[in-house]
Amino acid sequence: MIYHHLALNVPLYCLFTYVHDAVLVPGTRVCVPFRNKLVVGVVWAAAVTPDIDVAKIQPIQQVFDAEPRLPESWLALLDFTARYYHYPLGQAALAALPQGLRQTRAVRLPEPVRHYTLSILGRQHAPPPIRHAKQVALWQVLSKGTADMAALKAIYVQAAKYIQIWQDAGWITVQTEAAYRASPIDGHVLNPEQQAASQAVQAALPEFVPFLLYGITGSGKTEVYFDIMDKVLAQGRQVLFLLPEINLTPQLLKRLSQRFAQTTTAVLHSQMAAGARTQNYLRAALGQAALVVGTRLAVFTPMPHLGLIVVDEEHDASFKQDSELRYQARDLAVWRARQAKCPIVLGSATPSLESWHKARMGDYTLLTLTQRAHAAAQLPQVHLVDTRRLPLDQGFTEVVKEKLQANYASGGMSMVYLNRRGFAPALFCSACGHVFGCPHCAAKMVLHQRAHQLRCHHCDYRMPVPSVCPECGNQDLTAVGQGTQRLEETLRHWLPGARVARVDRDSTSHKQDWAQLYEHIARNEIDVLVGTQMLAKGHDFARLNLVVVVNADGSLFSADFRASERLFAELMQVAGRAGRADLPGEVWVQTQQPENKVYQALKAQDYTRFADAELAERRDMAMPPFAHMAAVRADARTMQAAQQLLRTVMAASVQQHGLPEHVNQFGPVPMLMARLAGYERAQVFLESRSRRDLHRAVSWWQTALLAEAKSHPHIRWLIDVDPMEL
């Protein structure tokens, strides 16, 4: 009998020993009994010496040996992830798998994608008669290169019937390997800056070199990615393309399908059906998919021939998981590129200060694009509107209102940006001042007028809009502030006949909402876009020439040291949506702090100026990236209980181990969102210039927490390394 160590999806920091009658290869998926039920496990080590009574060791019930095993590189990646983020290995490993592989049954393996092209005999044969237009269209596609059945059916629904007929006649050649060849570029030529950036990355193939591609908005970073990808795919290697948001996928996939029509592509994101996501994951793992496009979880996808990683909008906070396993996909992508010995390209118009600092220090190779890719396109002109002495009409100054009306009258397209969904951010009583807050969170309820609801945007608690104040009975309840729904209503009133579309989490909750929005914009069926930060990233709307930013000042007063960086990136990105084609662009920003460094750098559109000034402040304060941070958090029914657990554990950790010389501890203190979903939240910060010393201190905390938390079963705790939330 052979003993094996298995990773199971349980919150324990250990592997589990099971027995089997043969040696199983690490990475094999199995099914085992655990606490009176069957669960999925992954073999982590084989032929081990058990350290418990062998009579207590249970047998492995089922081995899914027909499935591709998870490779050693995947096991190493998850082992590093669990150690770095101080998370149970089994939970990390199973979280990295798609749903189909977390279930206690075998999965259906994907059929190899077949690619069809004309054979030598077919090229010598006459095409179908011209009267059969659909057949002629199929023949033309096959004569130019290869295509899979999905692409052929998009041309003619009966494609399978005719492909079979032509194949039986010997006119068709079938390939089952993943197709890597790019389609013709249709005359697109990179400008000198783009060409230099692409060639620099290509020169690094096939070695690990991290590149930071800093290019102004509209500079054609995507075309640089594509040019490099073309080279890598042609070598028979795979490409991993990471995006921060699902809503960026439709537009990118359309461009990919045009440029890499003959390349098998696997898409991975959370809105996909579980079965489709599992099949795409397996296609990548089997080498059937040459290109993998996905959001942060796709960083864990096994790819046996990985030759390039691209992280687009690398600055985006969405790459950091904010629950359970709190990993940073951008950083893991860099680790994975080093593991695979391949280049990685991190791209952004507003790089994260961590990446910018590494480029300044020479750890990353900096590539720069300083001009817009479209020959006629120029950076938009940015105007700051000081609202301290100007009256506001429904949140707009008169000059901005007139700009919107004039742009609509002249046939332009406008975007109004406000990072606050709903109708109004608060509802209060004008008689006694009562504000309707969430009963479960330290947050105000947001008015959603069309649904006639108050909603908490943190825990999603909902209630009907009250008719009277619960404090004094007053019926005069006032909506305070602006939300995207209120702006939409105002613009429909001011611009009668204008086609106004609101874009926020409420309006784009369904799978096809983004695809439909792009179709409307492509057909020039939208005059004004109103939305949140979902509109700020990566979108390219040629007709958009006016951007208005409403009420961005709130971020300037945040206690989060990253608030200025986030606001600047947000505004630079949204401003960059304007003037990307022939029409000159304008950006109007309403603010009560026009002299603030964020707005001054925005007006100058000078990222370098902002980043270097911000880094100087971070250096003086010993804040990231000049120091490293971790947060230890506790959630309890009372703040006193949460803080007391942290104090007890802090004392136990210091008493047993002391504190590394270069590590500082702060707290416990309440989090900025002190109450969330019925729990009071407290935290302790650990900071150090030494990453090694920081992780040693976190490990001591973890040991003390595991010992102490047993006597506090109702208090939740977690460790967040490199936290983004304060």
Side-chain angles (χ1 to χ4, degrees), residues 388-405:
R388 285 175 291 194
R389 295 179 179 82
L390 294 176
L392 297 179
D393 183 1
Q394 298 298 320
F396 294 93
T397 59
E398 186 64 26
V399 64
V400 167
K401 176 181 176 182
E402 291 174 355
K403 281 289 178 181
L404 287 166
Q405 292 172 331

Side-chain angles (χ1 to χ4, degrees), residues 28-29 64-70 100-101 105-109 282 286:
T28 303
R29 202 170 68 94
F64 301 110
D65 49 10
E67 300 172 6
R69 69 175 181 84
L70 297 161
L101 295 179
R105 60 174 181 265
V107 295
R108 175 178 57 86
L109 296 183
L282 290 171
L286 290 166

Side-chain angles (χ1 to χ4, degrees), residues 501-522:
R502 175 169 50 86
V503 183
D504 55 27
R505 194 177 301 172
D506 299 317
S507 66
T508 57
S509 57
H510 297 100
K511 187 176 180 180
Q512 297 300 321
D513 287 339
W514 273 102
Q516 292 173 0
L517 175 69
Y518 283 125
E519 288 178 9
H520 291 314
I521 293 174

Side-chain angles (χ1 to χ4, degrees), residues 171 196 209 235 271 293 348 397 466 513 562 682 701 723:
W171 302 339
V209 180
Q235 295 175 349
Q271 284 191 358
V293 180
S348 177
T397 59
D513 287 339
R562 288 191 177 91
W701 264 88

Side-chain angles (χ1 to χ4, degrees), residues 185-302:
I185 305 178
D186 296 330
H188 182 84
V189 178
L190 299 182
N191 64 36
E193 284 187 333
Q194 291 174 312
Q195 189 67 42
S198 176
Q199 289 177 348
V201 180
Q202 292 181 34
L205 294 170
E207 300 299 326
F208 166 68
V209 180
F211 293 91
L212 177 62
L213 179 59
Y214 161 56
I216 63 171
T217 53
S219 59
K221 292 182 289 294
T222 304
E223 286 299 333
V224 175
Y225 303 151
F226 285 3
D227 198 59
I228 304 165
M229 290 161 56
D230 190 6
K231 173 82 170 197
V232 173
L233 294 169
Q235 295 175 349
R237 306 294 297 276
Q238 293 172 293
V239 174
L240 175 61
F241 198 122
L242 296 179
L243 293 163
E245 299 274 3
I246 297 167
N247 57 48
L248 297 179
T249 307
Q251 195 173 33
L252 176 69
L253 287 180
K254 183 177 180 180
R255 296 179 65 178
L256 284 170
S257 66
Q258 293 170 348
R259 181 67 181 270
F260 301 99
Q262 301 169 41
T263 300
T264 306
T265 301
V267 181
L268 297 167
H269 58 70
S270 59
Q271 284 191 358
M272 295 183 68
R277 188 168 183 172
T278 300
Q279 290 293 296
N280 280 354
Y281 183 95
L282 290 171
R283 284 193 181 94
L286 290 166
Q288 296 177 6
L291 173 59
V292 175
V293 180
T295 48
R296 59 177 176 259
L297 192 59
V299 75
F300 296 113
T301 308

Side-chain angles (χ1 to χ4, degrees), residues 695-711:
H695 280 275
R696 186 183 299 118
V698 171
S699 295
W700 295 345
W701 264 88
Q702 180 178 307
T703 301
L705 276 166
L706 289 169
E708 185 65 29
K710 294 177 182 178
S711 57

Side-chain angles (χ1 to χ4, degrees), residues 427-432 436 465-479:
L427 185 70
F428 93 114
C429 173
S430 58
C432 70
F436 291 85
V465 176
S467 57
V468 298
C469 173
E471 297 280 345
C472 67
N474 174 41
Q475 297 182 4
D476 184 17
L477 303 179
T478 304

